[in-house]
């Protein structure tokens, strides 16, 4: 899933004349105080291990520009016109070959819906499935953008546990049983099976059919969100859940990580009844995805060796992951983490007694930024973890960033050992209750 | 507001295993039977007076292509990257000069939020303001895409009357009083003041301060949706409501009609408290608008004489409106309409006893298409009207389209006079209750 440049921290609006007039769902939307740090974290002297921006400098923009030029001359009048709510048919055909790389072979263009990024796909699926108070099961920790969507539709997010082999099937089954006992409607399980954000783990191949069996047994829909599946460092891919079940899975993928996010183009595959509602919801939400973006993507896919480009990305991200892993071993051997086999993130457990959230301002002062673990939970958990992104900085910058981080953690440990606490007041507990979708 | 190419008619999904699992808001989303006609209406032999697509053939796509080429070489890595949830700062600066043409002179870039078309802007404002059962006041007839959004958020739409001078202030005030008496929360008034879709009328300059006074008196927010304001046929513009009140108006505009819709880029200006929530909602909905689209627009604005291009559009649409008006006088003098002073649409009243909705299949058989008036009401009204678009077909095609339409109407009249009815069973009343957002 995606990670934008965070917006600057909003100022506090005093005396808003519309205070009290907003929808209930708007009351839970609030900017996190972590945002304030992002403005600082984006300064060039800070090594940011916080963002999830893909590294695009190796893209052949000159050649791409020439092809867009040609496309615009040939069909500018269509590229600049309204399109279909379901998305451009050419692009819906093109994505089939991408999905084949993960064993999805039975999809037709009519099964595909193009969206304004996977964020909007999550918005649409939640919109058509969830009433306020309905339950969504989601891995904990979980992608912060998904939590933001669920929150904005006033959904109850119930945690399902992860380990190094991904989502734990028993935890999924228990959660369904427990929620049904409580009389709750479980609308779907949301999972990022491959190279999880932020946990870095991948659902083992053995677990996949088990999870599908539970979904079938209890008639629970699965939302399979797969932005990183083609970014396995050794070129490995895993069979998508959707490749084993065409009735109980809505599959989401995106061009944001495997090509580039600036077009905001992603896609969904859904069973017919759901897909039909998704198209109507897409139309109500945005009328149609941008033709300009869709035509740019099809032009790219049709003219470039995109498989080779994805391979290049894999190698680049592998090198950066190795650099981070080596630096962590060198500077922070007393922390724990699973080295991921793909994707963008390492999920670092920090020594007991430290608080990743409280520590963040001091890290930024030491010129390194990360995302505190609390951003990936709805309930204030996660102070013992942080997410470190290796996607954007160079290996040298990553090494330097981890070195800086180690000085901060060392200092915190020293303070904790001296005073039994890291010496700072706890963050505002209201923030912990609503970390919000802004903790990117 | 925007008008996409409608999606093909969805097939009826039999035995949807997820039937009964959807959100309540999804139950009211349904494809209109009018959609079925669009597939037919888009055949080249049919003169479509149905769609709201701007006519783009005069755009200098070769020159535009060269500039996009240059932009991509210089900053492809940013154009293809994530951007800010609030939108690109350069574009937020650029739109200020456009708004100055309608007397809006006090806006700063920080007051602007860029969205994925005005459709998404309407979605965001409804999302942050409206709980299910809240009331939105809206002109009747009204833009079908807005009705679709309101419906998808389970809002009660209450009609406010229009006449040839636009929204009637007394009707607005009465509606507020009446709804408050009923204990309802009136969240905002939605209005398209200039060259209304579909009614073609413009709010008189005298009425504007009166409407603002009512909004202030009763503390009701106004959503001013202004996609056509710069398309006055004589180059005339009107002072925006936002130019007279910065506290009670959320102003929406879009590049879709004045430049082109394929980028899906629009903007909003809102008072600080509302704007802050809109940015958070934008982030939850789409993360950020597409940089590729935003950079394409700024490249265009910075390098082309866009004022001159808009003038060219004005002249083109004036000629087409004149052609339609002349053809209506020639072939359908017994119908009534107000000749608009700008925009895309004529709202035609057909002779008493005829039903624009029931007649539509026969019109399509006669190779002319329109949108039945029922699409612009939530309550099944509008059978005595149809919307005729003059934006896309050439004047010759418009003339031929109206000629064909007159043969259909003449036949209907003959049938009615013979049998006292137009001879066809009434449409399914459920359709009338929920014309849905799809009646584009």
């Amino acid at each position: 899933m995606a990670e934008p440049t965070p917006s600057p921290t909003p100022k506090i609006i005093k005396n808003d004349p519309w205070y009290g007039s907003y929808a209930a769902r708007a009351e839970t939307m609030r900017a996190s105080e972590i945002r304030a740090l992002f403005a600082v974290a984006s300064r060039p002297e800070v090594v940011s291990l916080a963002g999830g921006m893909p590294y695009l400098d190796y893209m052949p923009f000159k050649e791409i520009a020439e092809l867009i030029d040609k496309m615009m001359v040939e069909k500018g009048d269509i590229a600049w016109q309204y399109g279909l709510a379901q998305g451009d048919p050419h692009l819906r055909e093109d994505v089939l070959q991408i999905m084949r790389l993960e064993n999805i072979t039975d999809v037709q263009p009519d099964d595909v819906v193009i969206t304004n990024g996977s964020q909007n796909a999550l918005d649409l699926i939640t919109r058509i499935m969830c009433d306020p108070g309905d339950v969504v099961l989601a891995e904990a920790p979980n992608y912060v953008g998904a939590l933001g969507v669920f929150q904005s539709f006033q959904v109850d997010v119930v945690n399902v546990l992860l380990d190094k082999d991904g989502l734990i099937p028993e935890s999924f089954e228990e959660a369904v049983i427990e929620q049904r006992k409580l009389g709750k409607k479980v609308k779907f399980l949301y999972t990022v099976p491959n190279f999880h954000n932020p946990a870095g783990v991948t659902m083992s191949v053995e677990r996949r059919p088990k999870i599908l069996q539970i979904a079938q047994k209890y008639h629970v829909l699965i939302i399979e969100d797969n932005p990183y599946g083609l970014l396995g460092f050794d070129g490995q891919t895993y069979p998508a859940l959707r490749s084993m079940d065409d009735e109980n899975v809505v599959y989401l993928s995106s061009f944001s990580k495997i090509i580039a996010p600036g077009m905001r183009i992603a896609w969904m595959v859904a069973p017919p009844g759901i897909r039909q509602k998704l198209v109507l919801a897409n139309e109500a939400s945005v009328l149609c995805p941008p033709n300009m973006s869709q035509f740019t993507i099809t032009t790219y896919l049709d003219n470039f060796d995109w498989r080779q480009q994805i391979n290049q990305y894999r190698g680049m991200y592998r090198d950066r992951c190795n650099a981070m892993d080596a630096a962590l071993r060198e500077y922070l051997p007393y922390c724990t983490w699973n080295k991921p086999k793909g994707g963008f993130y390492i999920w670092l457990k920090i020594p007991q007694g430290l608080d990743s959230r409280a520590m963040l301002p001091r890290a930024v002062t030491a010129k390194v930024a990360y995302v505190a673990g609390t951003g990936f939970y709805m309930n204030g958990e996660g102070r013992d973890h942080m997410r470190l992104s290796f996607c954007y900085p160079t290996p040298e910058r990553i090494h330097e960033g981890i070195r800086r981080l180690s000085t901060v953690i060392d200092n915190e440990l020293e303070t904790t050992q001296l005073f039994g606490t890291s010496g700072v007041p706890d963050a505002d507990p209201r923030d912990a209750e609503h970390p919000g979708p802004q903790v990117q």
Side-chain angles (χ1 to χ4, degrees), chain A residues 284-396:
Chain A
S285 169
V286 296
L287 284 184
C288 57
N291 267 2
M292 181 72 195
S293 289
Q294 294 181 89
F295 282 36
T296 300
I297 295 266
T298 51
T299 298
Y300 179 80
L301 291 173
D302 294 352
N303 290 281
F304 279 91
D305 186 351
W306 55 268
R307 287 178 183 81
Q308 178 50 33
Q309 171 250 301
I310 292 175
N311 269 336
Q312 196 187 14
Y313 274 19
R314 284 168 165 163
M316 174 179 66
Y317 294 130
R318 181 186 56 224
D319 292 348
R320 291 172 184 212
C321 181
N322 285 339
M324 185 173 277
D325 183 63
L328 287 170
R329 286 168 192 272
E330 181 180 350
Y331 293 112
L332 287 166
Y334 44 83
C335 292
T336 50
W337 66 96
N338 285 307
K339 188 180 174 189
K341 296 191 173 78
F344 280 14
Y345 310 107
I346 284 181
W347 181 238
L348 188 77
K349 187 161 201 287
I350 57 176
Q352 207 179 357
L354 298 197
D355 179 334
S356 63
R357 186 177 220 201
M359 192 171 78
L360 188 49
R362 296 186 286 282
V364 172
T365 305
K367 303 197 178 75
V368 60
Y370 58 82
V371 180
T374 43
F376 305 95
Y377 291 89
M378 296 288 266
N379 58 5
E381 281 181 68
R383 287 168 185 273
D384 56 343
H385 276 85
M386 60 177 64
R387 191 191 73 177
L388 300 173
S389 307
F390 49 80
C391 46
Y392 197 77
T394 59
E396 296 69 36

Side-chain angles (χ1 to χ4, degrees), chain A residues 45 72 150 180 233 236 248 303 310 338-339 343 348 357 427:
Chain A
E45 69 270 22
M72 282 299 294
F150 302 150
R180 294 232 167 123
F233 298 144
Q236 79 281 28
N248 301 286
N303 290 281
I310 292 175
N338 285 307
K339 188 180 174 189
L348 188 77
R357 186 177 220 201

Side-chain angles (χ1 to χ4, degrees), chain A residues 17 19 104 184 202 293 305-306 338 387 389 398 410 412:
Chain A
Y19 178 84
I104 302 174
K184 302 291 272 186
T202 293
S293 289
D305 186 351
W306 55 268
N338 285 307
R387 191 191 73 177
S389 307
I398 288 171
D410 286 348
E412 297 284 307

